[in-house]
Amino acid sequence: MSNRGCDRRRALLEELCNDWDKLNISAKALIITGMLLFISVIFIAFYSNGDSGMRQSVGVVFRSSLSSIFGFLLSSNIKTQKTKINNSMSRAINEEECEEEIEIYNYKEGNLIQISIALFVCLVSIICILVIYITDNSQNIQSISHLRDLMCISIGFLLGESNIKK
């Protein structure tokens, strides 16, 4: 931590940008699509009254698509390169400034994109399930169950990625 121009947050942002740069265009498209589907499933969980027919079919399509994307993103090693890529996003943050902090805080030990997605999905699922529980809005059991599954999968992934530095 000899650099005064870099702190823990800046080092994390730098490594997150570096990991994002290493993703190919398909992985980036899947992440964006997955986030849109996640928002849709949350919307369905809150505003659907458990209708049958076409509305339920659309919900099933959204949930199954989200499960496929989420499963792929968490199960695969989507970092394609091990070397740093210098592009406009990476150059916006001076990489050499934070290299020591990135190593100290172990930001290189995992894929920060996967970890960030799992953490985000887990936290949002927890909040949504809590709000649904508090408001007693249990009409759409399928979407609520899917949020529960996403939360459990995210926790399982984070447990698998976690370790204690010795």
Side-chain angles (χ1 to χ4, degrees):
M1 295 197 301
S2 61
N3 271 325
R4 297 288 178 206
C6 189
D7 60 1
R8 179 178 278 202
R9 279 186 226 112
R10 186 166 172 180
L12 176 63
L13 179 61
E14 180 179 316
E15 191 58 25
L16 192 61
C17 290
N18 187 40
D19 282 357
W20 179 260
D21 293 341
K22 291 177 183 178
L23 298 176
N24 64 22
I25 191 71
S26 297
K28 289 176 184 176
L30 280 173
I31 291 170
I32 292 168
T33 304
M35 289 298 133
L36 290 174
L37 286 170
F38 186 54
I39 291 167
S40 301
V41 167
I42 291 169
F43 180 79
I44 290 170
F46 280 105
Y47 295 107
S48 177
N49 60 3
D51 291 336
S52 61
M54 182 57 116
R55 292 182 118 196
Q56 190 175 21
S57 297
V58 169
V60 169
V61 169
F62 282 1
R63 289 191 304 271
S64 61
S65 299
L66 178 59
S67 293
S68 299
I69 291 170
F70 196 65
F72 168 76
L73 290 175
L74 293 186
S75 67
S76 65
N77 186 5
I78 54 179
K79 273 190 189 178
T80 57
Q81 301 170 359
K82 297 294 181 193
T83 59
K84 287 199 177 262
I85 298 171
N86 289 324
N87 69 14
S88 59
M89 188 181 290
S90 294
R91 278 181 264 158
I93 303 167
N94 189 352
E95 292 176 357
E96 293 77 29
E97 241 179 55
C98 296
E99 194 64 37
E100 183 179 340
E101 283 77 5
I102 290 171
E103 293 295 325
I104 289 172
Y105 299 124
N106 299 321
Y107 291 148
K108 288 189 181 261
E109 288 190 6
N111 187 335
L112 288 180
I113 297 294
Q114 288 174 308
I115 294 168
S116 299
I117 290 170
L119 179 62
F120 175 77
V121 168
C122 184
L123 294 176
V124 170
S125 295
I126 290 169
I127 291 167
C128 290
I129 291 170
L130 184 61
V131 169
I132 289 169
Y133 176 76
I134 290 171
T135 61
D136 198 26
N137 181 13
S138 59
Q139 292 120 359
N140 193 344
I141 301 299
Q142 298 91 352
S143 292
I144 296 168
S145 298
H146 193 73
L147 288 172
R148 177 202 62 209
D149 294 344
L150 289 174
M151 179 184 69
C152 292
I153 291 167
S154 298
I155 290 170
F157 172 78
L158 292 171
L159 285 171
E161 288 291 310
S162 65
N163 64 6
I164 298 173
K165 185 179 176 186
K166 296 178 182 181

